[in-house]
Amino acid sequence: GAVGIGDNIGLVGRRNGCDGWQVGIFAGVWAQFDMDESSYPLLNADYQVGIPFSWRRGIVSTRVRLLHMSSHLGDELLLSDPSLVRVNLSTEAIDALVSIDVKQWGRLYGGAIYLINPDPDTLDSGGLQFGFELRGATKPGFLSKWLPGFRRTLVAGADFKSWEENHWNTDSSVVAGVEISKEGSDRRMRLLLNYYYGHAPYGQFFTEKIEQIGFGLYSSF
């Protein structure tokens, strides 16, 4: 089972409609738990905190971030397997993405990341990322007769990452499902089918190859 929570808060900026710039702060944690055990022990937790700069004009937008990333194994996992070797995985990094809107139904993006003073220092530093998002037409939701203003939108996306440390092999993540929203509100709820193939996106296990499929429930405010 995987759980993630985080936020991006704007500190200073200037906007003219959707165009403008902003400097903020963000933090997030992504954790994985063993659902086969009665106590649901923590397997791994990845933390990120940083300062993003965002800019948008017309159909083009970009984001540059200076961030800290670290990964930690769960205590119960270490106690249950004394032979397990823990890696002190921690690094600062700078990453940048450029995004182009495709009318009202899509978005293309791509960029790169560079690790600064990684620990362990034997890690290669480069990484690439690209992908796309698709949005269908927004229509009244299935329960709009009883819940006026509720809407549904079919959504899909794919994200691809390649790391120098993993010999530039591509890790693929694909999602598709429905987004539920209420007219006049910024809140969104998404129920998505997830498919992932590639190196594990969980820091301590980044050298392991995995394939997984499942459902995810995502809420944004």
Side-chain angles (χ1 to χ4, degrees):
V3 177
I5 187 170
D7 201 359
N8 186 89
I9 301 172
L11 298 178
V12 62
R14 178 175 294 178
R15 293 183 60 178
N16 180 16
C18 292
D19 295 346
W21 61 270
Q22 178 178 275
V23 177
I25 187 171
F26 83 95
V29 58
W30 295 263
Q32 300 80 48
F33 299 87
D34 186 352
M35 307 302 289
D36 291 331
E37 299 291 335
S38 59
S39 62
Y40 306 137
L42 174 68
L43 299 177
N44 175 77
D46 297 314
Y47 298 87
Q48 290 188 13
V49 60
I51 300 174
F53 170 78
S54 305
W55 174 87
R56 179 180 181 91
R57 183 171 183 179
I59 65 171
V60 179
S61 57
T62 187
R63 184 195 69 195
V64 179
R65 302 186 300 179
L66 179 64
L67 65 153
H68 170 81
M69 303 186 294
S70 62
S71 181
H72 308 270
L73 291 177
D75 291 340
E76 290 184 62
L77 179 64
L78 290 170
L79 292 173
S80 66
D81 186 0
S83 66
L84 191 63
V85 178
R86 175 186 173 273
V87 179
N88 184 35
L89 192 60
S90 176
T91 184
E92 280 67 53
I94 184 169
D95 73 349
L97 287 175
V98 176
S99 166
I100 299 177
D101 294 346
V102 183
K103 297 184 178 180
Q104 301 296 319
W105 52 266
R107 186 169 75 98
L108 303 172
Y109 64 88
I113 184 170
Y114 184 80
L115 306 184
I116 304 170
N117 296 323
D119 184 8
D121 58 11
T122 55
L123 290 176
D124 292 323
S125 296
L128 299 174
Q129 180 179 7
F130 61 95
F132 64 87
E133 298 175 356
L134 302 174
R135 294 182 62 85
T138 299
K139 299 180 179 180
F142 301 111
L143 301 178
S144 59
K145 181 178 179 180
W146 299 276
L147 299 172
F150 275 81
R151 308 173 300 178
R152 60 180 172 87
T153 307
L154 296 179
V155 296
D159 182 76
F160 306 95
K161 291 186 175 74
S162 299
W163 292 95
E164 184 181 5
E165 178 67 22
N166 291 328
H167 309 291
W168 299 111
N169 293 321
T170 301
D171 306 324
S172 304
S173 176
V174 180
V175 300
V178 61
E179 176 185 274
I180 301 172
S181 61
K182 186 177 182 181
E183 189 173 359
S185 174
D186 291 332
R187 296 183 180 182
R188 300 286 187 271
M189 186 75 70
R190 298 183 182 96
L191 179 62
L192 301 177
L193 178 67
N194 306 282
Y195 174 77
Y196 182 87
Y197 179 78
H199 292 89
Y202 317 127
Q204 289 284 334
F205 308 105
F206 69 92
T207 61
E208 303 292 331
K209 293 289 286 291
I210 66 170
E211 183 178 26
Q212 63 184 26
I213 187 170
F215 285 99
L217 182 64
Y218 305 82
S219 178
S220 61
F221 300 89

